Amino acid sequence: MSGWNRPSRSRLGNRNNTPLERTSSATTTQTVRLGRVQPQAPSNRTIYCNDRESNLPVKFAGNSISTTKYNFLTFLPKGLFEQFRRVANLYFLGISILSTTPISPVHPVTNVVPLSLVLLITLGKEAWEDWKRRLNDMTINNNSVDVLQDQRWETIPWKRLQVGDIVRIKQNTFFPADLLFLASTNADGVCYIETANLDGETNLKIRKALEKTWDYLTPEKASEFKGEVQCEQPNNSLYTFTGNLIVDKQTLPLSPNHLLLRGCSLRNTEYIVAAVVFTGHETKVMMNSMNVPSKRSTLERKLDKLIIGLFITLFCMCLIGAIGSGVFINYKYYYLGLRGTKGEDSSYSSFNPDNRFVVFMLTILTLITLYSTIIPISLYVSIEMIKFIQSTQYINNDLRMYHMESNTPALARTSNLNEELGQVEYIFSDKTGTLTRNLMEFFKCSIGGEVYGTGITEIERGIAQRNGIKLNEEYNSNTDHEKGFNFNDSKLMRGAWRNEPNPDICKEFFRCLAICHTVLPEGDESPDKITYQAASPDESALVIAAKNFGFFFYRRSPTTICVRESHVEKLGDVQDVSYEILNVLEFNSTRKRQSVVCRYPDGRLVLYCKGADNVIYERLSDGQDDLKKVSREHLELFGSSGLRTLCLAYKDLSPDMYESWNEKFIQAKSALRDREKKLDEVAELIETDLTLIGCTAIEDKLQEGVPACIETLARAGIKIWVLTGDKMETAINIAYACNLINNEMKQFIISSETDVIREAENRGDQVEIARVIKDEVKKDLKRCLEEAQQYLRTVSGPKLALVIDGKCLMYALDPTLRVMLLNLSLNCNSVVCCRVSPLQKAQVTSMVRKGAKKITLSIGDGANDVSMIQAAHVGVGISGQEGMQAVMASDFAIAQFRFLTDLLLVHGRWSYIRLCKVITYFFYKNLTFTLTQFWFTFYTGYSGQRFYDDWYQSLYNVIFTALPVIMVGLFDKDVSAALSKKYPELYKEGIRNMFFKWRVVATWAFFSVYQSLVFFYFVTSSSHTSVDPSGKMFGLMDIGTMTYTCVVVTVNLRLLMNCNSITRWHYISTGGSIVLWFIFVFIYCFVESSRSVYQVIYVLMSTLYFYMTLLLVPIVALFGDFVYQGMQRWFSPYDYQIIQELHRDEPEGRSRDELLEIGNNLTPAQARSYAVAQLPREISKHTGFAFDSPGYESFFARQVGVYAPQKAWDVARRASMRRTTKKK
């Protein structure tokens, strides 16, 4: 084991020093305080490759990972801690402890059993999920990898890998840790990797090893490698890495291109050799595996307020009982033994009239345990179960949200926000890849001041249609063409560019397209069979365009690009040219440009640059004013057509200039600190005095169904904002194309492209520029807000739209102007923000979320949308062409923007309505049950005597009334999915929170009081004149059991009355709960011979009193609800009730054509899901339709914005019309 048993080297004091620091004799400074040296975190780490003993003192992290939340020792304490963070669980824990004291009127089992069941179910769910995570961790940790030992490759599990080991990675296998690339079987020390597990991008990326390490490929040679790596400490930055490799006393700089990250896989390479740099939880991918910020739904926060209201109600009930107890106790009730007797049982001493304050306090504690059922302990568990099933079975399996082309279903990544989808009022959307397809096609271009390309975009067609202009299209852009190239102009194709006035500029234009990129070619080196792997669809489209223009890029190595050029010297001539790539100045969000320095075969040095127009224009040389002006006009023309534009430029370099600059570039590339910043600064030195070649225009078409989706969402009362980095003209025209803006709208445009701002920018004083822009933005905001308020005062004013660019938005988001911007924005139906940064997207979202207190949803598909997605109440990621960063940060993932219609109007709305019913029903049934005990307190001298047996009280919530409410949360449906989308106005009820207002809660509370009075007084009063078969009067347990039976039957039947649709699951759960109660009480009253409930149910059921009470009491109790529901449906119907009436005779079903155009291209699992979807469903039996609704006119009038009050005579008229229809 020569590679592992290398003698340890003595490196006292310089283990973590940089090479520059090692050569100097200066000592490091230390912070000294009170004579004690404070430890300093090292800025970099030193790794000895192929030398485990030298790495041992540092104690690097192992390569075993764990994503579990608990372990064997921490599961119980940590799990219980998590559960008791909930107020309701903590409350019941206190009640359970209190019930073990002598002052408790109930047995501890009353509160301990339901609490234990809830904790058992929840902890069982946590344990199951954590066990699955553990199994996954074990599978990953036991994957095998080849490690260098004794000059041969030994296979060991990943978990035994250590920092500094030399490993061999084979083709199509994953990297077990973050590795330093040393050698490859490919020529020139390159390898190809796929980063799909890291960022979702499936295109291959090229990595190149340092030339110094190319030979360490065989185990014999690799065992000789004794390099020393000095690099940064572990961090979560995926795209940065700074370090140096010291080999044979030579220091070589390391960059991100030399690092192979854990989770990526090796492609198109037989095998590679690498050194381990970061392991386990210190790898970059693991340091990025942090949870998405925790979000709680608005409904859940309102539920907390309801629980607080129940606490207040509980306290008031206990206060009333305690005051009554203090007043009631008196010596005249001497026969009750209130003072207790010395030497005897002193259990009554707590009611000593001489200590009324003590009586008062003890009675409060007693009644708290007695009335504890008012807080629904099983509510949270039921809601979690309902949400989980809604997410996994409904949203994830909805074929209407399945995208066949990409084989992508919808995915609910969290179940906490289902109901939030039913209350969204503002949607913030990215444009590229979200509203558009992100499938870029080269469409037009401008070269040397000449425009080329005859196609007509979708945006241009929309503009012509709005203006009533008929277009004569010579070229149909929908004809067959190569993917990525939708260009047609005979002046450039097939070498015709040689006849143009500027053929040399055309040649530079095409070469810039073919050379200035980071695209990788794959497949055969022929134009028909080759495929390109690009970092973005734009880059791929530009290279494909170069190929179609006759400059075919077909091969790439780390130092060369091979281009097959046609028609250069003469028409029909083809030659292969190899360009040496000297430097690549990569694109980033700050630079907004990309440059390549290349050397022609004849020795010519050229810098090619492409980037955003404003960035390129700042770096052009003087003397190009005419070309700049014409090209600017062309850019605006392309932008108004909805095209994405880039400017191309070049610069000839002298050898001396290049060599001088390259030295600075190498120094910046070798820097351990601020390497990216220094590289940007060096790039600025050479990217100057550029010569403009022209500009490209790429079309990104709208996704299918986007205009219809936006129109539907607008009818639903949802306001949509588009936040994009495109130019204003492009953004406005995209907004027109997708029905976000139309000519009937009043548009407020706040732009930095004004004469006043341009004059300030020309003067160049940055302080003055900031002051001028802020003043102009303030004036525009004030003017627009005044106009908006005037329009809103008019009865039939136009809808409003706001368009603002990023530069103005930066100042509008200033605290002094933010309120004005918010007020203006909230008055607009549509808002378009263009040229905005990712940070500004998040700021705008937060402004509306926090400032307007409205429920927001952000949707995007790229890494630049992550901050916006996490800032909104609900984040939706689109699994598109820009990787999976947005999806990984989102709460829900869909494949197409149009699926928002089903996600919000169907699943969101159903979830909201169902959970509102679940919560209010829990409130109702618990309050009803507890109030019967409360009324009984007045007849027991406020002593806290219990009305029900302990087990009755324990199982009420968790057994006898638990299952039916879950069925409602899963299967209740007011209208079908088709009707939900046909009448999107129904969604407004969720925005207005119509089903969880305090008025709704008060209504349920009123009927709880009414029904509890019926239960208590009807049963107790009727029992006075009733006797059992032996002639005895009924006792406490007889009346309590009778009342309990009426409560269980009634609250379950009341739930059926509240259902919009009743399925067999409703019947099974409701009937089953009632039957379960009778089975339990039969067994319990027979087995429990030592308690007062012995034989109670048998005695009761042998009397006529039991059956008459069981029949009449529920009828009387539910009569009030029956009348109320009828009156409400008749005189003040909800919108969905009107739709129910309109379609009451239509069977609910779905046609085969309505589902999806999924054809026969299904996997077996998909085919099974599709077949299940085709099975006949049970037709919903809507209840309550006997009450005809006169509110039709008002509903449809509201749809068009006209107020039409209901007429009293409509009731009689509609009733008579229906009777006439029935007679016919």
Side-chain angles (χ1 to χ4, degrees), residues 240-258:
T240 62
F241 177 72
T242 56
N244 290 326
L245 174 64
I246 303 173
V247 183
D248 299 332
K249 298 182 180 180
Q250 183 180 355
T251 301
L252 305 172
L254 300 176
S255 71
N257 286 330
H258 299 122

Side-chain angles (χ1 to χ4, degrees), residues 422-583:
Q423 296 181 275
V424 173
E425 189 169 356
Y426 286 89
I427 292 178
F428 300 92
S429 173
D430 178 40
K431 184 188 77 68
T432 305
T434 304
L435 298 177
T436 60
R437 300 178 187 177
N438 203 17
L439 296 175
M440 309 302 178
E441 294 182 332
F442 191 93
F443 202 75
K444 291 183 179 183
C445 63
S446 170
I447 305 176
E450 295 289 332
V451 174
Y452 299 96
T454 60
I456 297 176
T457 66
E458 293 178 344
I459 307 300
E460 288 176 308
R461 293 191 190 95
I463 295 173
Q465 185 177 1
R466 290 196 306 273
N467 297 329
I469 301 173
K470 187 175 182 180
L471 296 174
N472 295 321
E473 299 189 43
E474 298 178 2
Y475 169 68
N476 184 6
S477 63
N478 294 322
T479 56
D480 292 336
H481 55 269
E482 182 178 359
K483 184 179 179 181
F485 188 73
N486 192 10
F487 178 88
N488 185 72
D489 195 329
S490 58
K491 292 187 291 184
L492 289 187
M493 303 301 293
R494 290 172 291 279
W497 56 268
R498 290 176 52 84
N499 301 320
E500 288 298 294
N502 47 8
D504 291 336
I505 298 181
C506 290
K507 193 189 307 180
E508 295 291 351
F509 182 88
F510 300 144
R511 282 176 175 162
C512 183
L513 294 182
I515 296 173
C516 186
H517 57 77
T518 56
V519 176
L520 295 176
E522 274 191 338
D524 295 340
E525 294 179 355
S526 64
D528 297 332
K529 297 182 179 179
I530 199 167
T531 58
Y532 293 119
Q533 296 287 345
S536 69
D538 297 79
E539 272 212 318
S540 177
L542 295 176
V543 175
I544 292 172
K547 180 183 73 172
N548 282 271
F549 289 134
F551 288 72
F552 171 38
F553 160 62
Y554 65 90
R555 188 185 305 158
R556 182 183 205 115
S557 74
T559 57
T560 59
I561 278 182
C562 297
V563 180
R564 187 167 298 154
E565 298 182 351
S566 305
H567 321 296
V568 176
E569 300 298 333
K570 62 180 180 179
L571 196 63
D573 182 44
V574 178
Q575 57 183 349
D576 290 348
V577 183
S578 178
Y579 296 94
E580 183 182 359
I581 303 302
L582 301 176
N583 307 91

Side-chain angles (χ1 to χ4, degrees), residues 44-112:
N44 55 283
R45 62 161 53 181
T46 301
I47 301 167
Y48 302 108
C49 300
N50 207 11
D51 186 356
R52 282 196 169 186
E53 288 187 5
S54 296
N55 291 323
L56 281 178
V58 186
K59 297 182 180 179
F60 293 118
N63 201 43
S64 177
I65 65 162
S66 174
T67 60
T68 57
K69 191 175 180 180
Y70 311 100
N71 59 37
F72 182 77
L73 295 177
T74 63
F75 174 72
L76 204 56
K78 190 174 180 180
L80 291 175
F81 173 76
E82 291 289 333
Q83 294 307 310
F84 288 125
R85 289 174 64 183
R86 287 180 169 172
V87 177
N89 289 346
L90 190 61
Y91 162 78
F92 268 94
L93 176 64
I95 294 297
S96 299
I97 295 173
L98 197 61
S99 63
T100 61
T101 62
I103 63 172
S104 173
V106 297
H107 194 275
V109 72
T110 305
N111 296 298
V112 172

Side-chain angles (χ1 to χ4, degrees), residues 1141-1159:
E1141 292 291 342
L1142 287 173
H1143 298 273
R1144 57 177 296 186
D1145 298 323
E1146 297 178 8
E1148 180 187 341
R1150 31 175 140 172
S1151 65
R1152 293 179 180 269
D1153 298 333
E1154 184 190 3
L1155 283 173
L1156 275 180
E1157 314 82 34
I1158 56 179

Side-chain angles (χ1 to χ4, degrees), residues 525-646:
E525 294 179 355
S526 64
D528 297 332
K529 297 182 179 179
I530 199 167
T531 58
Y532 293 119
Q533 296 287 345
S536 69
D538 297 79
E539 272 212 318
S540 177
L542 295 176
V543 175
I544 292 172
K547 180 183 73 172
N548 282 271
F549 289 134
F551 288 72
F552 171 38
F553 160 62
Y554 65 90
R555 188 185 305 158
R556 182 183 205 115
S557 74
T559 57
T560 59
I561 278 182
C562 297
V563 180
R564 187 167 298 154
E565 298 182 351
S566 305
H567 321 296
V568 176
E569 300 298 333
K570 62 180 180 179
L571 196 63
D573 182 44
V574 178
Q575 57 183 349
D576 290 348
V577 183
S578 178
Y579 296 94
E580 183 182 359
I581 303 302
L582 301 176
N583 307 91
V584 177
L585 307 179
E586 296 182 356
F587 174 90
N588 60 45
S589 58
T590 305
R591 285 168 40 79
K592 295 184 179 179
R593 64 191 183 278
Q594 180 187 42
S595 298
V596 167
V597 179
C598 67
R599 179 182 281 121
Y600 278 46
D602 60 5
R604 179 191 175 195
L605 287 173
V606 182
L607 168 81
Y608 286 115
C609 183
K610 66 181 181 185
D613 53 2
N614 57 335
V615 175
I616 299 297
Y617 266 57
E618 292 173 354
R619 289 159 177 79
L620 295 178
S621 61
D622 297 332
Q624 305 180 64
D625 294 341
D626 293 340
L627 180 59
K628 288 165 63 177
K629 181 179 179 182
V630 174
S631 297
R632 174 76 73 182
E633 294 174 356
H634 294 167
L635 287 167
E636 292 178 358
L637 175 66
F638 295 154
S640 64
S641 301
L643 300 173
R644 296 162 60 89
T645 58
L646 280 177

Side-chain angles (χ1 to χ4, degrees), residues 134-321:
R134 178 173 176 78
L135 292 178
N136 184 58
D137 291 342
M138 291 171 62
T139 302
I140 293 174
N141 290 331
N142 289 315
N143 283 336
S144 59
V145 63
D146 292 341
V147 179
L148 183 65
Q149 298 181 19
D150 290 333
Q151 296 188 359
R152 68 175 184 270
W153 300 116
E154 295 286 347
T155 302
I156 66 171
W158 282 15
K159 61 185 178 183
R160 289 178 51 196
L161 208 58
Q162 294 184 17
V163 171
D165 287 351
I166 305 298
V167 297
R168 180 178 66 174
I169 308 298
K170 298 178 181 178
Q171 184 173 350
N172 297 326
T173 57
F174 293 95
F175 303 136
D178 289 351
L179 310 174
L180 173 62
F181 183 24
L182 298 178
S184 167
T185 54
N186 288 343
D188 297 330
V190 299
C191 72
Y192 300 93
I193 67 170
E194 184 181 276
T195 60
N197 281 355
L198 204 63
D199 55 18
E201 297 180 5
T202 56
N203 54 289
L204 300 185
K205 297 175 176 61
I206 192 170
R207 294 290 183 266
K208 182 184 177 183
L210 292 168
E211 191 171 351
K212 184 77 174 177
T213 63
W214 286 2
D215 296 333
Y216 299 114
L217 195 59
T218 62
E220 295 80 11
K221 192 70 176 175
S223 61
E224 299 175 4
F225 179 67
K226 306 301 179 184
E228 182 178 320
V229 177
Q230 294 186 343
C231 63
E232 62 190 11
Q233 290 291 349
N235 58 70
N236 62 356
S237 178
L238 293 174
Y239 306 108
T240 62
F241 177 72
T242 56
N244 290 326
L245 174 64
I246 303 173
V247 183
D248 299 332
K249 298 182 180 180
Q250 183 180 355
T251 301
L252 305 172
L254 300 176
S255 71
N257 286 330
H258 299 122
L259 192 68
L260 308 176
L261 300 183
R262 177 184 176 126
C264 301
S265 57
L266 184 66
R267 295 283 186 267
N268 298 352
T269 308
E270 184 181 350
Y271 71 87
I272 65 166
V273 175
V276 179
V277 178
F278 301 127
T279 50
H281 289 278
E282 291 185 345
T283 57
K284 290 181 179 288
V285 66
M286 292 303 297
M287 297 191 78
N288 272 276
S289 62
M290 53 193 304
N291 294 327
V292 176
S294 179
K295 297 180 181 180
R296 294 184 69 210
S297 68
T298 306
L299 194 67
E300 191 173 344
R301 289 193 292 270
K302 291 179 180 176
L303 172 60
D304 291 342
K305 296 180 181 179
L306 179 59
I307 296 295
I308 293 173
L310 288 175
F311 277 121
I312 295 173
T313 304
L314 172 63
F315 178 76
C316 293
M317 293 167 61
C318 295
L319 188 64
I320 292 172

